Amino acid sequence: MSTIKKNVISSVILKIKPQEAVLILITMLWGVTFLAVHQAMLVSGPFFFVGLRFATATLALVLFSWRSLQGMTWYEVKAGIFIGTSIMFGYGLQTVGLQTISSSQSAFITAMYVPIVPLLQWLVLGRLPGIMSWIGILLAFIGLLLLAGPNSSTTAFSTGEILTLISALAIAVEVILIGAFAGKVNVRRVTIIQLATASLLSFLMMAPTGEVIPAFSNYLLYSAIGLGIASALIQLTMNWAQRSVSPTRATVIYAGEPVWAGIVGRIAGERLPGMALIGAALIVLGVVVSELRIRRRIKREVVAE
């Protein structure tokens, strides 16, 4: 009897890979960065800050991984450029939006890329996720709608919200590209290339947008260094973890990011709508449901024995 109980208990416990556990921690760190970037917009323009942020990230990673640059292939350069371009659009437009919307709202809208990833995989790659993944994504999508929906009586989105939605599309492309190149390239080399590409393109975007170099400030320096190191850690970890974690499962994990951003924003004084708690609960439920296919497979194996 005790053996049966143990088998039942083991079939209920969620099986989380070490790579998935690391992604959860990275998601927490990612959520904290929204408020820091929002505050940085008081002393800097968006594209200069993004360029400085990723330049710092590139430098930090090169200092610890410069030996890994030896043996770089043209395929790795292309992978880094493609991913870096999507990063620039994702983080750049997101930062532009942060000039006019709160960090919590930005995080919630950015997380809309969660349901976009499987849709892009289906439309572009022809890869249809499993039924439980779709249900998990659907629940997360509904939760995000409750969190990110406009608070006013009109359904029209502001310019900042629209730009943030576009940035969510770019981040969805980034996640898919990372999954496509994972396992085929050297993680550190590609991460360095993509961070450098994101930095260079962000600086170049200053010209067409009419942005100027801001005056020096300690907060700008410290925030750029701190977020740069965090960005290097986030990108390196994403590239490493997604070698064994599918893009769909990764995006469900990343869905917890707006929850952490909302908590930090709340502590800082930002007020969230009353539906935020329901939306957060649906996101967590989506994560759990996405794991049910693993538990069902384990249960069948137990019954077969």
Side-chain angles (χ1 to χ4, degrees), residues 113-115 117-118 137 172 175 245-256:
Y113 75 85
V114 171
V117 167
I137 291 294
V175 172
V245 179
S246 70
T248 300
R249 288 173 65 83
T251 51
V252 174
I253 293 175
Y254 299 151

Side-chain angles (χ1 to χ4, degrees), residues 247-269:
T248 300
R249 288 173 65 83
T251 51
V252 174
I253 293 175
Y254 299 151
E257 167 266 322
V259 177
W260 295 107
I263 293 173
V264 174
R266 179 69 177 183
I267 294 174

Side-chain angles (χ1 to χ4, degrees), residues 66 94 141 189 273:
W66 62 271
Q94 176 194 90
F141 175 71
R189 289 199 291 260

Side-chain angles (χ1 to χ4, degrees), residues 158-170:
S158 67
T159 301
E161 291 169 336
I162 293 174
L163 291 176
T164 307
L165 281 171
I166 298 175
S167 77
L169 175 61

